[in-house]
Amino acid sequence: MIELEQISYCYGGRSALCGVSLAIRRGESVSLLGANGSGKSTLLKLLNGLIVADSGTYRFDGAEVTRKGLADATFAQSLHRRAGFVFQNSDAQLFCADVYDEIAFGPRQLGLGEDEVEGRVRDMVKLFGLDGFERRNPWHLSGGEKRKVAIACVLSLNPEVLMLDEPMGGLDPRTSRWLAEFLAELNKAGKTILVSTHDLGLVQEISRRAVLFGEDHRVAADLETAALLDDVDLLKRVNLVDRYYHKHTDARHSHFHIHNY
């Protein structure tokens, strides 16, 4: 579904991704791990077509994604419909006057009729337990409620791939647990899931595979999630955990002592 070959990208002359090669199969669930600034968020933006690599090749379902291609409105709309992106900061994603229009925005941009738009909004409101929120201003919602609206906006387009940047950030434990279980159910239903996260305690429930980025902005490891989390020396080497790190053995209730990035 996703193929990267020797992808590199710089911000103002500073490297963010360096020679990254990666393949994601349709229906996989993959966590992107690494210390702050290692390139995880940059990779998700690149995969969603928000930025374009300085060098290397990116193919989405066999079609090469280039600056020229993204300049074509039809191509760009297709990519953004098939690959949905949930930003780390929900406030950066929400801009309409009420929740209804937020969720309706994407389907309307696709040119769907208002009856179809209303049906999709209704489905998302029911799915995320947002009944009664339709005419509320998103800016007045709690952090967890904003996150639900942001994900509902993306899912209203029925994307094949769902990409989330630090989705657990700022959420209370109950909402974090709900989101982890929800992502697992989406994956079981056939969605390809990519999640950038520091929450090692939940990563095994989110994904079966984990890609670890080092501070040199390269892929340091690409392993089954359980195997990667068991490699404590590797996690310390890439500065994801410190020397006080320890892990309890119960995989469903693992607790990690990590840097507070």
Side-chain angles (χ1 to χ4, degrees), residues 44-249:
L44 290 181
K45 291 175 183 177
L46 188 145
L47 294 178
N48 198 249
L50 299 179
I51 59 176
V52 180
D54 296 325
S55 62
T57 303
Y58 166 32
R59 294 185 182 87
F60 183 88
D61 200 17
E64 188 171 353
V65 180
T66 63
R67 193 178 306 277
K68 181 178 180 180
L70 290 170
D72 181 279
T74 301
F75 180 88
Q77 185 183 72
S78 175
L79 177 65
H80 295 146
R81 177 181 59 81
R82 299 179 68 193
F85 182 42
V86 180
F87 287 79
Q88 179 176 355
N89 181 3
S90 298
D91 288 339
Q93 193 163 349
L94 305 177
F95 53 85
C96 291
D98 59 41
V99 168
Y100 184 100
D101 285 340
E102 285 286 2
I103 301 174
F105 181 82
R108 284 170 174 162
Q109 294 303 301
L110 292 180
L112 301 182
E114 200 59 31
D115 287 344
E116 174 68 14
V117 170
E118 183 178 351
R120 293 199 182 196
V121 173
R122 187 168 56 247
D123 289 344
M124 291 300 104
V125 166
K126 181 178 180 181
L127 179 63
F128 287 91
L130 294 169
D131 296 277
F133 286 73
E134 293 90 336
R135 295 306 171 189
R136 291 183 60 180
N137 188 311
W139 288 88
H140 298 157
L141 303 180
S142 70
E145 291 164 348
K146 288 179 181 179
R147 190 65 47 84
K148 287 183 177 182
V149 173
I151 299 174
C153 292
V154 173
L155 288 186
S156 69
L157 299 175
N158 193 25
E160 298 166 46
V161 181
L162 181 61
M163 308 177 192
L164 303 98
D165 190 8
E166 297 288 355
M168 305 302 179
L171 299 185
D172 61 80
R174 180 181 299 173
T175 307
S176 293
R177 174 61 55 190
W178 170 85
L179 181 53
E181 293 174 353
F182 180 71
L183 293 176
E185 289 301 313
L186 282 178
N187 184 239
K188 288 179 183 177
K191 299 290 185 187
T192 304
I193 308 290
L194 279 77
V195 178
S196 164
T197 183
H198 285 117
D199 195 333
L200 302 185
L202 290 173
V203 76
Q204 289 191 75
E205 298 180 38
I206 296 172
S207 65
R208 300 183 184 92
R209 174 184 168 198
V211 177
L212 179 66
F213 285 83
E215 293 182 297
D216 60 356
H217 314 290
R218 301 176 184 272
V219 173
D222 184 348
L223 301 167
E224 289 187 3
T225 301
L228 190 146
L229 295 180
D230 281 338
D231 195 336
V232 177
D233 290 338
L234 174 61
L235 297 177
K236 290 178 180 177
R237 194 159 60 245
V238 300
N239 200 30
L240 185 58
V241 301
D242 62 24
R243 63 191 180 90
Y244 299 107
Y245 169 94
H246 72 274
K247 178 172 78 78
H248 297 299
T249 56

